Amino acid sequence: MATPDTSLAAAVIATYESYLRAFMAGDMAGINACVSYPLAYIGDGAVHSFGEFPLKPADLMAQTGWHDTVDMRYEVVALGDTKAHLILHSGTRVRADGSPIEDISGFYAWTLTPAGWKMFAISDVRTPR
């Protein structure tokens, strides 16, 4: 497999990091700027299609005590002219005191649109600590 074009991969990563910042800030407009709807969510044995983002990060944070995500390791693993795959190899969601809540991993599919890279599919695995 060829190595992904570094400038295109950097653009995908920059958009992913914008999505992460918006997610952590509970900024739904910022999240929506990074998503191409419908968004496919690949869950446990099922695929769901959403016309809007399926959760509110602020609600998730309030329900779980989640304050931050640390030790994230991600990379673009495949890249075409208009499609990319980004893998979040690992990360740990933590409370304000730094104690772990869960380990996470994810897969994100991206498409290149006239407005830039947009996420169109996501799958995550969350392992409670």
Side-chain angles (χ1 to χ4, degrees):
M1 174 182 247
T3 303
D5 178 297
T6 55
S7 63
L8 289 178
V12 173
I13 287 173
T15 305
Y16 179 62
E17 290 173 346
S18 291
Y19 162 77
L20 292 174
R21 283 190 301 276
F23 197 97
M24 292 303 298
D27 175 7
M28 296 307 295
I31 290 170
N32 288 329
C34 299
V35 176
S36 176
Y37 293 101
L39 175 66
Y41 175 75
I42 304 159
D44 192 8
V47 177
H48 302 277
S49 181
F50 295 96
E52 62 184 32
F53 202 72
L55 62 90
K56 293 195 177 1
D59 292 348
L60 179 62
M61 294 172 115
Q63 292 167 0
T64 63
W66 171 30
H67 175 73
D68 199 3
T69 304
V70 298
D71 302 327
M72 292 181 69
R73 191 171 61 85
Y74 50 87
E75 70 175 318
V76 174
V77 296
L79 182 63
D81 292 337
T82 60
K83 183 177 173 188
H85 290 169
L86 183 143
I87 300 293
L88 168 61
H89 293 283
S90 60
T92 301
R93 289 182 174 157
V94 298
R95 296 173 185 85
D97 67 3
S99 63
I101 298 168
E102 62 189 358
D103 294 319
I104 59 169
S105 177
F107 161 84
Y108 303 84
W110 299 83
T111 185
L112 185 58
T113 72
W117 289 99
K118 305 282 185 172
M119 178 193 329
F120 71 93
I122 184 172
S123 180
D124 62 344
V125 175
R126 299 166 28 186
T127 307
R129 284 275 204 82

